[in-house]
Amino acid sequence: MGYQRFVALGDSCAEGLADPHPAGGYYRGWADFVAERLAEDEAGFRYANLAVRGRRLDQIHAEQTPAASKLQPDLIALFGGGNDVMSRGWDARTVARRVDTAIRACTEIAPTVVTFTLSDISHRMPMGQRMRPRLTALNDAVREASVSYGATLVDLWPDHAAHDSRYFGPDRLHLSEQGHRRLAGHVLGKLGVAHDPSWLEPLPGPAGRPGLRADLRWVTREVLPVAVSRFRNRLIGRQPGDGFLPKRPDLLPVLEESRPWAPEPA
């Protein structure tokens, strides 16, 4: 049976950051790719994306879950936790409770809920070794809650794509177009929906690994500006994501400009 009402919840990755739409004006991302494919099977299919960049799991639950409930989705995809991992005052038990609360709430709204672990991006992050135990703790909590509440888990931790920089944008955290397509392939595969097999095939050529000069550019252009912005926001009591709205708050038909997928000839 196909899906009629798909709602994506989460943070910047669910919003689609680092994958600007070719037509301009907004970010696309894996949830859009999933919606486009699902729309091919259901004439009345509708899609909403309530994700807001910078949001932690407790904020996602407080702000997005009530809105999702009103939309009465039959499919929810919840992608979050990255901002919890990078937040000051990290506490594994607190984040585990946030994970449990968010996943439980989603399964009370929709019959099918897709959840995600995070891939191992610690080797590309400032103070990455400090972040790795946090990622592990978050992922363990996601796995446990997914089993407890019957959610469908997309486990990204073992995905080798995390070691190929071509799957990521300039900040080395958000997915590039190739990364978003790959993630969409993982989601559709878990849902048992046929999709373009090239989305999960390795990119041609050797895996991209930045050199020292690229590392220096990354620090000066991506890491330092973000650190300064976060420091200024803390001084004025502003939190990441404040002032941003969901890109697609209502259930709407998928744009006709999306290209339909067709299987390769046998």
Side-chain angles (χ1 to χ4, degrees):
M1 183 176 66
Y3 300 98
Q4 291 283 336
R5 300 178 303 280
F6 169 41
V7 177
L9 309 180
D11 54 22
S12 53
C13 188
E15 182 184 346
L17 258 66
D19 180 25
H21 194 281
Y26 67 97
Y27 290 103
R28 183 172 48 182
W30 62 266
D32 286 30
F33 291 131
V34 169
E36 290 169 7
R37 175 63 189 92
L38 295 178
E40 296 171 20
D41 296 336
E42 296 293 332
F45 179 83
R46 300 291 186 272
Y47 160 54
N49 192 317
L50 307 180
V52 175
R53 65 192 73 177
R55 282 333 207 191
R56 301 184 310 268
L57 283 163
D58 56 329
Q59 296 168 317
I60 292 169
H61 172 64
E63 300 167 1
Q64 299 175 28
T65 303
S69 180
K70 295 177 181 178
L71 298 176
Q72 299 181 321
D74 52 15
L75 172 63
I76 285 179
L78 169 66
F79 195 110
N83 295 299
D84 299 79
V85 167
M86 293 186 287
S87 294
R88 299 176 66 196
W90 157 270
D91 178 73
R93 288 177 296 182
T94 297
V95 173
R97 286 194 295 270
R98 293 175 183 173
V99 169
D100 188 90
T101 299
I103 293 178
R104 174 177 51 80
C106 287
T107 58
E108 292 173 349
I109 296 171
T112 302
V113 175
V114 179
T115 59
F116 305 81
T117 60
L118 300 186
S119 60
D120 186 6
I121 56 175
S122 60
H123 57 285
R124 293 196 308 276
M125 299 172 63
M127 304 177 68
Q129 292 306 309
R130 176 188 172 191
M131 293 294 117
R132 201 169 196 273
R134 298 185 179 190
L135 287 166
T136 300
L138 172 73
N139 287 345
D140 287 346
V142 171
R143 293 187 185 101
E144 181 176 346
S146 297
V147 171
S148 296
Y149 300 113
T152 299
L153 176 66
V154 176
D155 192 352
L156 298 175
W157 184 258
D159 194 338
H160 65 82
H163 301 281
D164 188 335
S165 62
R166 293 174 295 179
Y167 286 108
F168 295 86
D171 64 3
R172 304 186 184 179
L173 294 176
H174 295 102
L175 297 173
S176 65
E177 177 184 345
Q178 293 91 335
H180 279 288
R181 287 188 184 276
R182 184 176 182 85
L183 183 49
H186 282 306
V187 173
L188 292 167
K190 282 290 185 176
L191 294 175
V193 178
H195 58 280
D196 189 334
S198 69
W199 290 2
L200 291 177
E201 292 175 357
L203 296 176
R209 288 187 174 84
L212 178 59
R213 185 172 297 178
D215 287 341
L216 293 174
R217 286 198 301 268
W218 171 64
V219 170
T220 56
R221 297 179 183 179
E222 303 292 339
V223 177
L224 291 179
V226 170
V228 170
S229 176
R230 284 178 175 264
F231 176 74
R232 288 175 176 170
N233 286 339
R234 283 199 299 270
L235 291 179
I236 62 175
R238 181 183 176 90
Q239 299 189 55
D242 284 356
F244 289 95
L245 299 174
K247 70 176 183 181
R248 194 181 178 97
D250 301 311
L251 283 169
L252 298 171
V254 174
L255 298 178
E256 295 180 357
E257 65 192 35
S258 61
R259 293 175 295 178
W261 172 78
E264 294 291 332

